[in-house]
Amino acid sequence: MSADNLRTTELESKSNSTSVLHNSDHQPTQEPSGHQSTKDMASLLAYILSAPREHNKQYYFSAMKSSGEIMEGRLTTKLDISPHLQKLQKGKFLQLTKCSLTASTPQYLRLNDLTKVYQTGATFELDETKLKDFYHATVCSVPEANSSPKKRRISLKGVVDKVFDMKETPNWKRTDLRIRDVETTATIAIKLWNHSAELVQKHHEGKTVVVENLMVDEWKDTKQLHNTDQTAILEQEQEQEDESGDYNIIGIDVQEHHIDAATDGKRDIQIPHHVLEEAGLSVEDLIIATPCLITVTMDQGTVTSVILK
């Protein structure tokens, strides 16, 4: 075999190999392989939903196509990807060329050696329903989670039944917990990988929480949940109904995924950082404005929107 033919055979072998992707920070899942399921050298306009996060020397992010489909993306560190990382910012519209896109559900977007990432003024109308499902996934009970299909994105309300010791290797760390339903004896396991592994501690046991933005998975015919980049844990105050309305904020305590806002009359409230971002507010804006009046919308004890008055 000639040298040219040998190189061609090697390239074809590489292009037919199965690639591995991570859904945010969970165990790797296999990207669908085969010539019919992958569109090579695709060009598309994308809206970046989450900035790239490193895991095992790979970078992963989420993006939306003009059709409203949400894609799971991967970059490889074999490239000089620093220019890509500077451009792939949450909330940006970008033109991507010479990338690979599968025809599976969900779709997998792979930025390869030839991919170019262009800044652009082009936009498309964002699917507000899918944006809400991505950043504020529907709050479900444990029985609802157990009956959900794989790959469904949900938030879960329940009681923390057990927090297991963190497992850690040089490449990953993971904390498992078991959530019990508020009204029944049903339970479900949650696996929190890497940056989310420290969200839960032993002191959460026995507390009612909402774990936001999880992905439904299955292991040995049993449903389980794992984290996404948007996962957060919000403790719920016991025996209190949702109280949407006006709150006079008198103090702010900043946490990793939310702020604790002290009020002068009603209960104190937790406001997730992404809720502030969607309201066009930063934590600094709110601190400077405090004391201030805000209008809050809640869903099952979780703040879903705020308006600064």
Side-chain angles (χ1 to χ4, degrees):
M1 180 180 293
S2 69
D4 288 341
N5 288 338
L6 178 59
R7 283 193 293 268
T8 299
T9 301
E10 290 173 344
L11 288 172
E12 288 175 349
S13 176
K14 289 178 181 179
S15 67
N16 290 333
S17 63
T18 300
S19 298
V20 175
L21 288 181
H22 294 253
N23 182 354
S24 298
D25 279 331
H26 69 284
Q27 281 282 49
T29 56
Q30 285 195 335
E31 175 186 329
S33 62
H35 294 294
Q36 293 182 349
S37 65
T38 303
K39 299 177 181 178
D40 292 328
M41 302 306 175
S43 177
L44 72 153
L45 180 64
Y47 178 76
I48 307 303
L49 295 170
S50 64
R53 182 179 291 276
E54 184 179 11
H55 178 69
N56 283 349
K57 298 183 179 181
Q58 305 286 337
Y59 286 85
Y60 302 91
F61 64 98
S62 297
M64 179 181 285
K65 292 171 59 179
S66 58
S67 62
E69 292 176 275
I70 292 177
M71 307 169 290
E72 299 179 15
R74 183 187 74 170
L75 297 89
T76 173
T77 53
K78 292 179 181 178
L79 308 171
D80 177 14
I81 61 171
S82 54
H84 288 353
L85 293 178
Q86 294 171 6
K87 296 173 186 175
L88 288 167
Q89 297 179 19
K90 177 183 174 183
K92 296 288 188 181
F93 285 94
L94 296 172
Q95 186 69 44
L96 309 177
T97 65
K98 297 184 179 179
C99 50
S100 298
L101 185 64
T102 69
S104 61
T105 301
Q107 289 198 306
Y108 294 91
L109 174 67
R110 185 169 58 199
L111 306 191
N112 53 52
D113 291 350
L114 300 177
T115 299
K116 297 292 185 182
V117 179
Y118 296 97
Q119 300 183 70
T120 180
T123 64
F124 52 79
E125 185 175 354
L126 297 173
D127 187 321
E128 295 297 334
T129 300
K130 291 189 176 181
L131 280 179
K132 182 180 183 299
D133 289 342
F134 185 83
Y135 291 116
H136 308 288
T138 301
V139 178
C140 297
S141 65
V142 173
E144 289 172 327
N146 278 323
S147 61
S148 293
K150 289 177 63 176
K151 293 293 184 179
R152 183 188 179 194
R153 191 180 179 95
I154 67 170
S155 297
L156 181 73
K157 183 175 182 179
V159 179
V160 180
D161 193 49
K162 175 71 174 178
V163 178
F164 297 89
D165 292 337
M166 182 189 297
K167 299 177 181 179
E168 193 167 3
T169 74
N171 295 322
W172 58 264
K173 56 185 176 181
R174 190 188 82 205
T175 299
D176 295 350
L177 63 152
R178 184 172 63 237
I179 298 291
R180 185 180 73 252
D181 189 51
V182 174
E183 299 179 355
T184 72
T185 59
T187 62
I188 194 169
I190 300 177
K191 297 183 182 297
L192 300 177
W193 292 88
N194 300 312
H195 77 286
S196 295
E198 298 179 10
L199 288 178
V200 65
Q201 307 292 335
K202 289 287 187 181
H203 70 78
H204 284 105
E205 291 183 346
K207 294 185 177 181
T208 300
V209 299
V210 170
V211 189
E212 290 194 311
N213 301 318
L214 297 163
M215 191 70 71
V216 178
D217 206 344
E218 191 172 304
W219 174 252
K220 294 183 177 179
D221 298 324
T222 300
K223 292 292 172 59
Q224 61 180 15
L225 305 169
H226 60 69
N227 64 289
T228 68
D229 275 349
Q230 290 71 42
T231 295
I233 295 180
L234 303 177
E235 294 184 25
Q236 303 296 289
E237 295 187 32
Q238 302 297 315
E239 298 180 356
Q240 285 192 311
E241 300 295 328
D242 290 345
E243 292 189 40
S244 299
D246 291 342
Y247 287 78
N248 190 30
I249 304 300
I250 60 174
I252 301 294
D253 186 22
V254 181
Q255 307 296 328
E256 182 178 0
H257 294 281
H258 68 273
I259 63 168
D260 292 321
T263 72
D264 66 352
K266 296 181 181 180
R267 61 193 251 199
D268 294 346
I269 56 175
Q270 292 182 345
I271 305 176
H273 288 313
H274 61 74
V275 171
L276 286 178
E277 292 175 3
E278 290 169 11
L281 297 171
S282 66
V283 173
E284 291 74 19
D285 291 335
L286 198 57
I287 292 174
I288 292 172
T290 300
C292 60
L293 186 67
I294 65 171
T295 299
V296 168
T297 301
M298 292 189 182
D299 180 13
Q300 299 190 44
T302 300
V303 175
T304 57
S305 69
V306 298
I307 300 174
L308 177 62
K309 293 193 169 182

